[in-house]
Amino acid sequence: EYGEPGFVRMRCCLPHLRLITAAAHAAPSRGLATASMIGGEMRSETRDPTAGKAALKNLRGSGMVPAVVDTAGEKQHVSILAKDLENASGHGTFYTTLFDLGPDCDGNGGPLRVLPKDISLHPITDEILHASFLGYRPGATIKVKLPLTVRGSDRSPGVKAGGWPMVLARKIECFCDIDHIPRAVPVDLSKLEKGDCFRMGDVDWEALGVRPRSLDHKQPILKIVVK
């Protein structure tokens, strides 16, 4: 989905996209502005875009998930092995990780590199019914929603005094280069007292390599509250 000129709009709305804690991701804050993560290959194949509901039902019954790849407005229809997609989408960094759809999906005998955009789930079973991806274009500026990585709670004076960190913004929408997608926005609690907030202005956005869609330096991201 392409929005304002020059930018790609992404939706990251699944419950799978969860807060990344320091235990799960201990990358240093200045080390996040590195090359985008490559999540490996999801077994895929091209499919007929004119297939009807019956064909799509049979496709899902065979263990595949229909998907669409949008590369600068050009749509490509593929099917992905459900097991591979389920495993990949269960990680908090799914929407900020590049994947290869293969072994032969790019039309030239090779894999097709993509960035996850959206997934549709069955309302009762949570089965993945459909997936959408952005086709990789070197140097493209994209819009992503980054999760948080929280560290320093063991050194926080406020936490030691009986407070606890309340997350006020679980994801932050940012513009960044598709080749340099940060894993998360670092939040350091080590100096926070009870009642203190970690705010948008406390993040070194330049070092992270992103530009927030909306930057209010006073907007709180996390607060140490009293139990």
Side-chain angles (χ1 to χ4, degrees), residues 187-217:
V187 176
D188 185 4
L189 310 185
S190 61
K191 297 181 180 179
L192 297 188
E193 304 277 355
K194 287 193 295 185
D196 286 351
C197 291
F198 187 92
R199 304 177 186 276
M200 290 283 285
D202 295 323
V203 179
D204 190 341
W205 298 106
E206 184 177 356
L208 195 58
V210 304
R211 177 171 60 87
R213 181 175 179 272
S214 177
L215 180 56
D216 178 353
H217 289 271

Side-chain angles (χ1 to χ4, degrees), residues 150 165-168 187 189 192 196-198 220-224:
V150 178
M166 181 174 65
V167 177
L168 303 175
V187 176
L189 310 185
L192 297 188
D196 286 351
C197 291
F198 187 92
I221 297 175
L222 181 148
K223 182 177 182 179
I224 304 297

